């Protein structure tokens, strides 16, 4: 114990110096984290004022915050006497090793950059990406956040999105509603077409241009199939789809046009007696 006290008394200046350096390094980390958060927030507000997409804002803010905090960590290490040049070299070698073991994460990061650059979707758009359908909430460094129609939050890895086809249902202002209506072989085809067109004409949400299309599409085993293809504004797609299905069924029933269901006719033949 006496030896410890003697060492402390003989090295008070050194202990005080390292204590000060440690406190300064800790302050650098704390201030660096605060600056990173503040700069990211200010950057986000600035981009919002300029009308930048929310998905881009979240991605760039996360990048800026990470870069500033890493710089603060390097400054703190330098303050306590760590040679940052050597540390950066070691960090680079370690980064290479970690990168080889975390190829998936790096792939997600690179895919996030591609998503931001090429903008296949924007915040709020309804898309099918990476095998998931939902509205885009934000794009993070490693994943994209989607909200499904039943209010589930799905985190999809960015690499999974860029490696598969992306369907954007909201990018265009108009969409075509595709309906397939089967009627009985006994139905009058001319009358059936008139009934279907009358239902379309009664719906004011349908666009005049492009014009709708009603045609015989296929002769199936138990029905004659009509295609019914009107154009609508994208926001009206599902309300129009559901309303047309209901109104078409009602109109066909009122005009005595049957909608068949799959059926099979079985014929029995009585074999003549051999007696």
């Amino acid at each position: 114990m006496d030896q410890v006290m003697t060492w402390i008394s003989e090295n008070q200046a050194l202990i005080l110096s390292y204590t000060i350096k440690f406190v300064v390094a800790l302050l650098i980390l704390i201030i660096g984290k605060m600056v990173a958060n503040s700069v990211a927030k200010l950057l986000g507000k600035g981009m919002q004022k300029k009308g930048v997409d929310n998905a881009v804002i979240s991605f760039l803010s996360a990048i800026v915050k990470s870069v500033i905090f890493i710089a603060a960590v390097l400054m703190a290490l330098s303050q306590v006497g760590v040679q940052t040049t050597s540390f950066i070299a070691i960090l680079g070698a370690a980064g290479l090793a970690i990168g080889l073991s975390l190829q998936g994460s790096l792939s997600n990061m690179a895919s996030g950059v591609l998503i931001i650059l090429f903008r296949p979707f924007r915040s709020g758009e309804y898309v099918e990406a990476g095998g998931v359908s939902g509205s885009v909430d934000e794009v993070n460094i490693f994943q994209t956040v989607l909200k499904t129609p039943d209010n589930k939050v799905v985190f999809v890895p960015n690499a999974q999105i860029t490696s598969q086809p992306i369907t954007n249902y909201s990018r265009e202002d108009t969409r075509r509603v595709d309906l397939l209506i089967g009627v009985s072989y006994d139905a009058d085809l001319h009358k059936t077409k008139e009934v279907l067109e009358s239902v379309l004409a009664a719906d004011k949400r349908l666009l005049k241009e492009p014009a709708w299309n009603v045609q015989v599409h296929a002769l199936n085993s138990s029905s004659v199939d009509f295609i019914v293809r009107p154009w609508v504004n994208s926001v009206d797609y599902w309300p129009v789809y559901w309303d047309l299905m209901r109104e078409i069924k009602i109109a066909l029933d009122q005009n005595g046009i049957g909608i068949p269901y799959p059926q099979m006719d079985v014929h029995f033949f009585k074999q003549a007696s051999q007696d």
Side-chain angles (χ1 to χ4, degrees), residues 67-104:
V67 170
I68 294 176
F69 185 70
I70 290 173
V73 170
L74 293 176
M75 292 175 61
L77 291 174
S78 177
Q79 183 64 36
V80 296
V82 177
Q83 295 296 325
T84 54
T85 304
S86 301
F87 181 77
I88 291 174
I90 296 172
L91 187 63
L96 178 60
I98 294 172
L100 293 174
S101 61
L102 297 176
Q103 295 182 33

Side-chain angles (χ1 to χ4, degrees), residues 20 41 136 220 265:
I20 293 174
K41 185 178 292 186
V136 179
N220 279 329
D265 292 335

